Structure formats: structure tokens, C-alpha cells
Amino acid sequence: MTSRLATSRPLFRTAGILADRIGTAVRHRTVDSRLGREMGTGEVIYLVAPAGHPNYGDELIARTWLRHLARMRPNATVVLDCHSPGTATTLLRDAHPNMLVVDTLWQLTTYAADAEPQAPWEWVAAAALDTGLAPRLTAGVDLLNSATTIHLLGGGYLNTVWPHHVSLFVAAAAVAGRSGARLASTGQGLVPALQGRAWAALTEAFAGFDVVDVRDTASYDALDGVVAARHSGDDAWLALHRPRPPLYRSTDPPAENGVVLCLQSDLTERFTGPRATGVEALADFVRSTLDAWDVPGSAVTVVEGIPGHDNEVPYLLGSRLAGATVLNFRDVWSDGLPAGHRNTWISTRFHPHLMAAAAGDPGVAVVAMPGYYSTKHRSLIEAGSDWTVVDSGTSVPERPRGHGFDAVARERAVAAKLATAVDIYPVSPVLAHRI
């Protein structure tokens, strides 16, 4: 006699197969529907960013745009073209359901910087259109040319510090000029501005963009009368619209009335103090400041924005930081910044300034490299941050007691960046609730 269990198993399998078929059919109908198209079906969105180093600010911007697109264009294929695709894939793997990470434009740009130093952007633009110039990258170039939107994400990588990056923008304009792809650049910091042929090539490329957006007044002024640009601030402001963790740490806050340090060693050669320059001057400045503020090492939290680069100054401080809490890049990326607890920050890094001040923390922004970081930090002061800006280590500032950005300034900055995002990726009324 056949048992009830034995006869039910085939029925269970049949029911499961039927459910799978129904689910697949529903998904296909959704994808093929008008709603599916409005959610990005058929779109290839090609993002270009300096992600994967890792660098807290660059990774935050990439994750922010990917998460925005996951909400507004979940059905689109989103390509992230960056210089370090392996690390970027690991850091950003959950940010969008249909993400592909490549390094096509970055490989072409890096190669041409050495092989064609006089005008590398000309070769890169040609190679982005003709796979015969870089046959090993044929598949990547084909993918780039299939894009419906090409979007160069923001940051401070397009200026005289890294002049060869102009090739990224010129090549993007060349591809979009032939394919008809929508072309956007957001949150760019252009100061110190490129000169001569490189600047001419960049502004000519910008003329073909649908959206040119910068993050500071100096960059906006540099384009005035040359390119129609908008100024909606740094791209990281978008992270504070419908924020998702981990932006700020919810556990183990720093000691009350403590100090948070985020101090770089790269790009510090021009920082000066009474007896030294560079990282030694920076370490002297921080030591003198902690002493003047009477802050014990046990009340200090050290934050790493770039692995390795942000360890050297704390190392030089040695026993002065005895008992300090140390949060490496992995800690910050996984669990968020230790901000929002009314501790005082001393930061050379720009994005920790933005995010900590946005959380209401007071701080001192130290300009590690005049001309570059001064523009960055002062753009936040202009936007409403009440942090103290220090240009050298020659004197100790008073301990600030402010509140970073007030609610009005913060919401104004977030709204400006969101408006730019909506202009690039329009939203139908049916999906307005997702904005």
C-alpha cells in the first residue's frame, strides 16, 4: 500500500515547478511593461569613478550613486569603470543588483599618460571609438559604446594634481557624441585648474555634456563664460538623502568630549610648522593642539580614511595617543564614521569633514596641501560648516564648540544634489515615491 507521504511528494514538486513558472512569467511581464522600462529595463548606465583604492570619500560617492540607481533604476545594467575593479567589486558588491565593474577607460587613460604624454586624451578618445587601437580591451570598449548614459562621478581627481584624467572626460564625450548617450559629470573639483591644451581639451569636451556640475565656487568660476555649468556641491551630499547604513556608527561611540583624528600623510609636503614640514609638522601641530586642549590619549579616536596613508601621523604621535581607539578603513566602511556624538574632529580629509559636520560635530579642518585642500574645505565653510580651517601648523586654534552644519544648511545641500540626480535620471510620477 502506498503511503500518503509517498504520493504527496510528486504533487509538491509539481506545485513548486508551477510556482516557479508563474513567478518567472510575472517577472518577465514586469520587465517588459512600461513600469519595467521606467525602472531601467534596457538601459546601460556607465559610471566612471576613481573607486577601489580604497579611499573613504571616493568609495562613499560610488556607493551613494549605485544605491540611488538601485532605487531609481533597479532593472538597468550599471557599469562602474574604475582604476581598481577587484577592490571596488568587494567594497560595493551589494550596492546595485545589476552591477558590472570594469577598468576599460582607466586602463586606456593610464597607458596613454606614459605613451602619449603630449596629448594623451587624443589617443584615449580614438581608442574608445576604435577597438583596433587597443584590441585586448575590445569587449570593454564595446560595452562603453553600448551605454545609454555615461556619468563621470564627482571627486577631486580632475585638476593639475592628476592632469592625465582629462582623458576620461574627453573619451566619454567622444563616445557619447557618436552613440547619442546622455552624458553627465557631477560634483567635480577642478581646482587647481588645468592649463593650456589640457584645459582647452576639457572645456571642449564639456561642451558636449548634458550636465556639467561642480562642487565648489572656484570650479564654477573657472568655467564661467566657457561652459554652462551648475554648482550643486559634493556628490557625497546625496548619501544623506534617505540615508542607509553604515554612514554613522551606532555602537561604541567615542568618549564624551573626546577628539576624533583623521590625518593623512599623502599630499602633505607643503604643510609647514615652526620646526618642520610635511608629516612631522602635522604631527607636531596635532600634539600641541591636544596638549592645549588638555585631551588625554584615552579620549582620542583615530580614523583611517585611506589605509596606510592615515597611520603615519598617529605613529609619529606615539605615546601621546596611549589608550586611543583606532578605527581602520574596514571598521569605518563596515560600521560608519564615529560622528554625531558631539566630539571634536581634527581632520585633513575632506569627506570626513563633510560627513562629521553634517552629523552636527564641531571640528578643525587642516589644509594639508594649499590650493587643493583649501578649496575643498572652504567649500564646506561656504555651504554652512562652522568648522575652523587651519592652513599651517604655526599656531594652535581654540577648541571649536559649534554644531557643524545646522539643519537648514544641511537640507539645502542635500536638496541641491538630489535635484541634480533627478535631472540626470528623470523619474516618472508612478515612481515619484522612490525619490
Side-chain angles (χ1 to χ4, degrees):
M1 178 172 150
T2 305
S3 71
R4 183 185 301 271
L5 180 61
T7 57
S8 65
R9 281 174 178 163
L11 293 176
F12 286 150
R13 283 197 297 272
T14 302
I17 292 169
L18 182 59
D20 287 343
R21 288 177 177 172
I22 292 172
T24 300
V26 168
R27 285 192 295 274
H28 281 314
R29 285 198 298 273
T30 300
V31 166
D32 293 337
S33 69
R34 177 182 175 186
L35 177 60
R37 291 191 296 274
E38 289 172 347
M39 294 173 71
T41 299
E43 287 190 58
V44 178
I45 298 173
Y46 201 99
L47 308 179
V48 182
H53 185 271
N55 176 329
Y56 171 76
D58 292 334
E59 316 315 325
L60 175 65
I61 287 172
R63 184 173 67 187
T64 294
W65 279 109
L66 287 164
R67 285 181 168 179
H68 179 76
L69 291 171
R71 196 166 64 249
M72 309 313 304
R73 298 290 194 278
N75 292 351
T77 296
V78 178
V79 182
L80 175 63
D81 192 321
C82 62
H83 53 60
S84 304
T87 303
T89 298
T90 305
L91 294 172
L92 303 169
R93 61 186 180 277
D94 298 326
H96 193 283
N98 301 314
M99 180 182 70
L100 177 64
V101 186
V102 302
D103 60 353
T104 306
L105 271 179
W106 286 89
Q107 280 203 60
L108 295 174
T109 294
T110 301
Y111 168 79
D114 292 328
E116 304 285 342
Q118 297 305 310
W121 54 86
E122 294 179 357
W123 185 88
V124 176
L129 297 174
D130 179 1
T131 56
L133 293 177
R136 187 172 56 84
L137 298 178
T138 296
V141 171
D142 287 345
L143 182 60
L144 170 61
N145 281 269
S146 74
T148 52
T149 297
I150 303 174
H151 178 182
L152 292 103
L153 307 188
Y157 61 101
L158 180 59
N159 45 58
T160 58
V161 183
W162 297 281
H164 59 290
H165 290 161
V166 69
S167 297
L168 299 167
F169 293 76
V170 175
V175 172
R178 185 172 72 178
S179 70
R182 185 164 175 77
L183 186 57
S185 174
T186 56
Q188 297 298 330
L190 306 179
V191 176
L194 297 164
Q195 301 295 320
R197 295 177 64 194
W199 178 252
L202 176 63
T203 54
E204 182 180 352
F206 272 159
F209 277 62
D210 297 286
V211 174
V212 176
D213 172 61
V214 296
R215 71 181 183 189
D216 55 73
T217 300
S219 297
Y220 183 78
D221 289 345
L223 294 175
D224 186 35
V226 181
V227 174
R230 63 194 298 168
H231 173 197
S232 70
D234 191 83
D235 279 1
W237 284 112
L238 190 61
L240 295 166
H241 171 67
R242 299 179 65 164
R244 289 178 53 190
L247 280 181
Y248 301 115
R249 296 177 75 83
S250 59
T251 58
D252 303 323
E256 187 176 354
N257 296 318
V259 169
V260 183
L261 305 178
C262 185
L263 305 165
Q264 67 197 84
S265 59
D266 58 310
L267 303 178
T268 62
E269 294 82 5
R270 293 165 57 193
F271 186 79
T272 60
R275 68 176 190 88
T277 59
V279 290
E280 291 82 6
L282 190 52
D284 287 346
F285 167 76
V286 174
R287 183 183 293 106
S288 297
T289 302
L290 294 177
D291 290 346
W293 294 356
D294 195 24
V295 179
S298 58
V300 174
T301 299
V302 176
V303 169
E304 186 181 61
I306 296 182
H309 283 305
D310 296 358
N311 290 331
E312 189 170 344
V313 174
Y315 175 79
L316 291 175
L317 289 169
S319 61
R320 182 60 185 84
L321 298 183
T325 299
V326 178
L327 301 177
N328 61 29
F329 175 85
R330 180 181 59 190
D331 298 325
V332 172
W333 188 248
S334 299
D335 299 315
L337 281 176
H341 305 289
R342 298 289 300 137
N343 289 282
T344 306
W345 285 67
I346 303 176
S347 178
T348 60
R349 296 286 183 201
F350 170 74
H351 286 99
H353 174 181
L354 188 159
M355 298 301 292
D361 288 351
V364 175
V366 183
V367 175
M369 179 182 179
Y372 179 56
Y373 280 104
S374 52
T375 299
K376 295 171 71 170
H377 284 299
R378 293 188 189 283
S379 73
L380 298 180
I381 305 304
E382 182 181 296
S385 170
D386 63 10
W387 280 31
T388 301
V389 178
V390 172
D391 294 297
S392 73
T394 55
S395 61
V396 173
E398 294 290 328
R399 182 164 182 168
R401 303 291 181 181
H403 293 81
F405 288 98
D406 64 30
V408 173
R410 170 177 159 148
E411 291 309 310
R412 181 172 58 243
V414 173
K417 186 52 63 175
L418 179 61
T420 296
V422 172
D423 282 350
I424 299 170
Y425 304 103
V427 180
S428 70
V430 119
L431 295 176
H433 65 284
R434 288 176 170 259
I435 298 177

